Amino acid sequence: MSSSYKLFSDPIHGFISVPRKLLLPLVKSPEVQRLRRLRQLGVGNLVFPSAEHSRFGHALGSLALMQDALRTLKESGTPISDDEFEASLAAALLHDIGHGPFSHTLEFQLFRAVPHECLTRRLIQRMNERFDGALNLTLEIFDDTYQRPFFGNLLASQLDVDRLDYLRRDSHFTGVIEGSIGVERVIRTMRVYPREGGAGSRIVIEAKGIYAAENVLVARRHMYWQVYVHKTVLAGDHVLVAALCRARSHLKDGNNEAIRNISPTLAPFLEKSYDKSALNDSNVLDAFLELDDTDVMASLKCWMHSTDPILADLSRRFIERDLFRCVFLPESPDPDTIRAWKQRVADTLVQMGLSNREQSVADADYYIFVDRSSHSAYHRKEGPIHTLEADGTVSEVLARKDSRALDALTHYVEKPYVCFPKAADLGI
Amino acid sequence: MSSSYKLFSDPIHGFISVPRKLLLPLVKSPEVQRLRRLRQLGVGNLVFPSAEHSRFGHALGSLALMQDALRTLKESGTPISDDEFEASLAAALLHDIGHGPFSHTLEFQLFRAVPHECLTRRLIQRMNERFDGALNLTLEIFDDTYQRPFFGNLLASQLDVDRLDYLRRDSHFTGVIEGSIGVERVIRTMRVYPREGGAGSRIVIEAKGIYAAENVLVARRHMYWQVYVHKTVLAGDHVLVAALCRARSHLKDGNNEAIRNISPTLAPFLEKSYDKSALNDSNVLDAFLELDDTDVMASLKCWMHSTDPILADLSRRFIERDLFRCVFLPESPDPDTIRAWKQRVADTLVQMGLSNREQSVADADYYIFVDRSSHSAYHRKEGPIHTLEADGTVSEVLARKDSRALDALTHYVEKPYVCFPKAADLGI
Amino acid sequence: MSSSYKLFSDPIHGFISVPRKLLLPLVKSPEVQRLRRLRQLGVGNLVFPSAEHSRFGHALGSLALMQDALRTLKESGTPISDDEFEASLAAALLHDIGHGPFSHTLEFQLFRAVPHECLTRRLIQRMNERFDGALNLTLEIFDDTYQRPFFGNLLASQLDVDRLDYLRRDSHFTGVIEGSIGVERVIRTMRVYPREGGAGSRIVIEAKGIYAAENVLVARRHMYWQVYVHKTVLAGDHVLVAALCRARSHLKDGNNEAIRNISPTLAPFLEKSYDKSALNDSNVLDAFLELDDTDVMASLKCWMHSTDPILADLSRRFIERDLFRCVFLPESPDPDTIRAWKQRVADTLVQMGLSNREQSVADADYYIFVDRSSHSAYHRKEGPIHTLEADGTVSEVLARKDSRALDALTHYVEKPYVCFPKAADLGI
Amino acid sequence: MSSSYKLFSDPIHGFISVPRKLLLPLVKSPEVQRLRRLRQLGVGNLVFPSAEHSRFGHALGSLALMQDALRTLKESGTPISDDEFEASLAAALLHDIGHGPFSHTLEFQLFRAVPHECLTRRLIQRMNERFDGALNLTLEIFDDTYQRPFFGNLLASQLDVDRLDYLRRDSHFTGVIEGSIGVERVIRTMRVYPREGGAGSRIVIEAKGIYAAENVLVARRHMYWQVYVHKTVLAGDHVLVAALCRARSHLKDGNNEAIRNISPTLAPFLEKSYDKSALNDSNVLDAFLELDDTDVMASLKCWMHSTDPILADLSRRFIERDLFRCVFLPESPDPDTIRAWKQRVADTLVQMGLSNREQSVADADYYIFVDRSSHSAYHRKEGPIHTLEADGTVSEVLARKDSRALDALTHYVEKPYVCFPKAADLGI
């Protein structure tokens, strides 16, 4: 009398039912289980104490939303085969398996110039071999080469199941309820146009769902500025990157004493400069699959006792949450200002006994960061959002009346900022 | 060991604690108890089945938010006396007691050209006499003549406790979660500027609360179009107004047979054309305080058996929810179009046996309505929203960087529409 | 491209999808629309301000849960035909249409000795004629005569969709979260035993759902004592019943002056003593279908001006929420005590000018009520709850190990109480 | 204009305000920051994917509830000084700092016979020295030696802030809503008896809060069986303990090759058998403060490549969530059965190539566990719950009428179980 589904309990979606056939073995694979050890928000929990949720929950949530979306589409008359159903769910489940520890923070630190999507694709390919081609269609949907392109829209577009889940999930766990969104309404108003869903078909939103869709874009903008690039999150990012860069330099110099007890899993990713070519090396992929947040944390904790006072200080700062100060600036500072700031920081390092006169300017590179955050909530280039009007026609949302609010969301906003130790007085 | 507060249980705010001294007697007054019999959303429950919440819950909710806001302001260093505290709570509790049945729908039907604020003011004044002047300060705050104007801001401005409660409450009970707003965050970031709160002081929002505030404006816009002027809500409004106008015409003609069993409470308000001068007539005010949604409903149910087929039809339509069709139009129709439509409706009335050739065009006035809805989410004129920057300066939100999204919300949107019986084919 | 479902937005279940074929016309019927004008909790909103939800929302909610339950059962291998699916949904939607105004409070006041289930059955039967027999199967399920009895269990048993919805709904709207229950878990663990669902089949709960099921029983007990028989709710019930009884006595005496402006819909139900035989009178049924909470409220408001001071006082008490005092007693009072109390109340009526020496003892019958509330959370007689063990066997929950907590819930608890005017000092 | 509070955003309590004076420095201390790296539910997230919440969130939540409770008590007339207020908040914040990685699972593995409360006390004492005695009163409350004992009740009793927070928090993050409890109602009905709160005073619950309090006990029982000793949680516990025991045996044997790359922080706790005396060794305490979940996880990941196939297998099982099977038994198995089962497991280990004939029975000790879970929801010995009746008297809850349900909760339930590899067929 056992069911053909396994239920997972989730504070966001209630019960998530995972079909036992292909999907449950995928959930049980080491690739997906590893997502349990990657926090969804990287260092976000340093600002929002309960934002400790993992990428595993998000993977299941994306699967759940894909299920809801496909049911809505079927029910509104678009034929979807069992194989397509299963392959789409697999794509939603696996869409983030290429993320490494502290995801976006360390994304290009571990593989030079390799975005996580490339790693994801490569890892799905490997799983596909293990699963005897059961993921062929999943790969087509992931690559957006499938002949019925609306499946690709569900996986990657401005209103895809990935975003719908993470906005709602991150909003919930951070408690930033400005990011809460009408996920159910968006999904219930999804349609395929043309309805049969052949070549050239896309996901559109019924006109009555337009406010829910707009709300997703607004929520994304609010989450971006209030959570994803919160100034303390940026400060945490930079402390973490600085510590790893410092460790990397010791590794390259063969200065093993300073980085004693580095996690053996993490070591090769700092020592070697893996790039795209490494994706063909099965050993590198195996190593990557063993790497997660705990290796970084365990290494930082060891480095708190490093013989290098700078590495020890940076590690301690991260572990004890004694982060940099981060200040948003009205405009990007000019090179002279930056130079003066860096000198100030260098002086501070000397005063703090972390560096000496000769080294201090070079060492300051680990202690001051001038950068900028930028965001536009609605990216026309990522594929515009279309609505299905009551008369059966389709139009881009920006072409509609009352699109002023949406239009504003296409606006690109850029905020320069600087991070530095609180002890350094930069006069800002 | 009894507490100096009485607790009310509320799905929105948890427990609401009402101080026993002045406030609890006010809650128990007939003026406030009557709010239990006024639905907050008028006919909104015809579209959103659970939106049956009353103005009484909203009055308590406004009081609760006023309490939270005052505590935040005190805690951030603005002195607030016990009298001011109590008077502000009373103002929040009483701010809507002048509403009549089906509030906005019938607002100017019962008192010609008298907005509900005038009635509210008059009724508070009468209560003040009964309470021996205990509401003097409440009246000053309500009139916005109090020497510390920030109290007036809390009661009536773009981020007042009234809006913060009703947006969240209406969003909850309708299930339109696009209207959910970060009430707690907005309130926690409120400050008085200048801090002492003297003459010229106003409520400002700390810069970090700006997204929550923007979210309130967006939520208001979404609730407006998705709930408050939902096309079926408009259709319900017009059926209700038509039935009452029809009854009124019978009353004026002395055609008592047609309106048999009209609620004796409702009758005078249809029969006489009360205007501002009636506010001085204590009997009229007493009568008004006995009037609520149930009188209208009970009358409509009786009129379903009226000898006038039109009144019977309109009443039945409302009771059985067989409402008009409502169509939003790309632009306002010209007089010729309207005339042609009205003829179409008149013909339909004849076909349905509700009217005859001679009367049908006149009768059609009860069956076709051309009107427009309009809205702008951010009304600078209603008092702009100001933010308190990290450096202690204050600026209007629109003057800030990244104000593009807010700027769009100042945009005034107008949507013409027409309501008519489904049986009439207007070709739209 | 329109969907075969219509969506209703609900704070409890999110979106409820109602199939357009048979179900939507049923929702639109006057019988179901009338439920909008019956509050689910009768006078409960006098204690819990937001508990203004109607029986209409509960009817839709029951339908939604029936849908979820049937899907779970189908998915776990029990065949369910489209006709059975539709008929079960209709049964859930219609299961309460026989309720009158202020449901349980007035249940036997309007029809002598006719429980609401009889009225419901009769009304479904009439609808069935109008719908040309489309409700034949619905009636069989309602009567529990259908050959596959598990459908009857879903509609009426200790874990039926009615209870699961109302416990969760009432808990939500009252804010008494002790009544919140794991509805989804209970439904997801429902199975049919034996699985094919033939004669003798019943709904059982998978063993892992036992805590959720127990929680439903505990929640029911808590809701019973904290909400359904809250002492102020009992006080409200008795004031309302007293007013109607007083009006009824005037009606019978032909004392029309005292009850001027009684709702014409309500009048016959007070005047005549309808009993079971009236269910065959189509006019009575038509009249009943026009009767709802608003008729009672409108009548009470008129009676506040009655020439009978007692009727005026009782009506005012209800409208202005100046209710009786209600005291739970350690044990049932003896006749002497009751007689003494009644004399005290009679004296009070005289002092208050509501009665005179001669009448006061008779009149006191409207002002003092000695009664008892009783409850047991788990009624074995109503059909015991069975669990499906991991080994495929079925056992009654009380026969399991660790059933002590459940066993306690079978315990029958009785609480005597007395209601009387606050002004009367009974020394308790 | 800065506030004297710092706000933390929390999905359970909304905003938590932490006073800046003493409390904020405590929050920032390494002792409290370390709680971010301890999962509240140990291995619970292996069953409930979103249950990744840390002890840090729980510490803040306990502080928040302590604040609410103290405000309620003050408001009901019990005097509480500012120092007492602050000390109680500190006690709530710090009450769990003595927990180690995977709390209860490893509690007695790292310190022999030292419960976490002892460690907590010792660590608070050390902090007190650093904070120049600012925690003197906190220690008194923690030790329950303070002259006003009701503070101790709030911190440790059957309805303390610890339980109220963790039940609600765990219920939320696991999605097991049967564990949701009316925290706010319990806290709002707390009173001190006698009201002045002197010697002999205790926390009591107003009679009207009795259902909320009972609900806490029921919720605790449900969470216990559905979450805390869920069979897969038990399986995870035993795999983890087995892996650490195996590593410990290699450490003791000096077999360093097998446990290469053990976290240097974890090593001494496995190598040495610390007991109570170690609490006086400042170095041991420093080492303990560096130890958290990440050290265990990082070590397990390294040991997946151990030269010892058993350590490698156990580690892999935990990391890839390939856990044991866990079966609850009707009664405790007799020694012969256990011996037979162990032989079966030993044979399986040989078949799987993990052991050889000679070693297999000894090795089986790492693969089969016979144990029992036990629980009673209401522990009279832990200090009974008292209610404050309407007449001002106090009684133990079990002495009240209708205590049958509570009485059942005092019942002690014991469930024997066995854990073993799925590959071993024990015939159960």
Side-chain angles (χ1 to χ4, degrees), chain A residues 361-427:
Chain A
V361 172
D363 285 345
D365 278 341
Y366 296 101
Y367 281 85
I368 179 164
F369 299 86
V370 177
D371 205 338
R372 71 194 65 185
S373 294
S374 60
H375 186 67
S376 73
Y378 179 49
H379 301 257
R380 217 164 186 169
K381 269 181 289 179
E382 287 185 27
I385 298 172
H386 285 81
T387 54
L388 177 66
E389 306 300 322
D391 63 4
T393 61
V394 157
S395 51
E396 210 230 295
V397 286
L398 289 189
R400 305 181 83 229
K401 272 191 96 175
D402 189 18
S403 70
R404 192 74 79 93
L406 272 167
D407 198 56
L409 296 171
T410 62
H411 186 54
Y412 182 81
V413 176
E414 203 176 74
K415 297 193 187 173
Y417 66 87
V418 58
C419 289
F420 56 96
K422 282 166 193 154
D425 177 14
L426 301 196

Side-chain angles (χ1 to χ4, degrees), chain B residues 2-78:
Chain B
S2 101
S3 159
S4 54
Y5 289 85
K6 182 168 166 58
L7 299 180
F8 289 83
S9 179
D10 179 66
I12 306 298
H13 303 296
F15 287 102
I16 297 175
S17 44
V18 175
R20 290 190 184 273
K21 220 180 103 199
L22 171 62
L23 273 303
L24 194 57
L26 291 177
V27 168
K28 290 183 170 177
S29 70
E31 285 88 347
V32 173
Q33 289 298 315
R34 168 178 167 269
L35 298 177
R36 292 181 180 276
R37 297 185 296 276
L38 301 183
R39 282 210 182 92
Q40 176 75 16
L41 284 186
V43 309
N45 73 313
L46 296 181
V47 180
F48 302 96
S50 287
E52 288 147 337
H53 53 300
S54 74
R55 294 200 167 273
F56 182 70
H58 169 55
L60 288 178
S62 302
L63 176 152
L65 292 184
M66 182 62 87
Q67 230 165 11
D68 290 349
L70 295 177
R71 278 183 191 146
T72 296
L73 299 179
K74 273 179 91 160
E75 198 273 317
S76 70
T78 299

Side-chain angles (χ1 to χ4, degrees), chain A residues 2-30:
Chain A
S2 100
S3 160
S4 55
Y5 289 85
K6 182 168 165 58
L7 299 181
F8 289 82
S9 180
D10 179 64
I12 307 297
H13 303 297
F15 287 103
I16 297 175
S17 44
V18 175
R20 290 189 184 275
K21 223 180 103 198
L22 171 61
L23 272 302
L24 194 55
L26 291 176
V27 168
K28 291 183 170 176
S29 69

Side-chain angles (χ1 to χ4, degrees), chain D residues 79-119:
Chain D
I80 293 172
S81 73
D82 288 354
D83 283 350
E84 287 171 331
F85 201 97
E86 190 177 57
S88 307
L89 263 52
L93 178 71
L94 302 175
H95 81 280
D96 264 352
I97 56 172
H99 267 292
F102 294 92
S103 327
H104 298 288
T105 314
L106 302 184
E107 185 160 12
F108 298 105
Q109 301 287 331
L110 308 176
F111 280 95
R112 211 154 18 91
V114 180
H116 67 90
E117 289 86 353
C118 284
L119 273 154

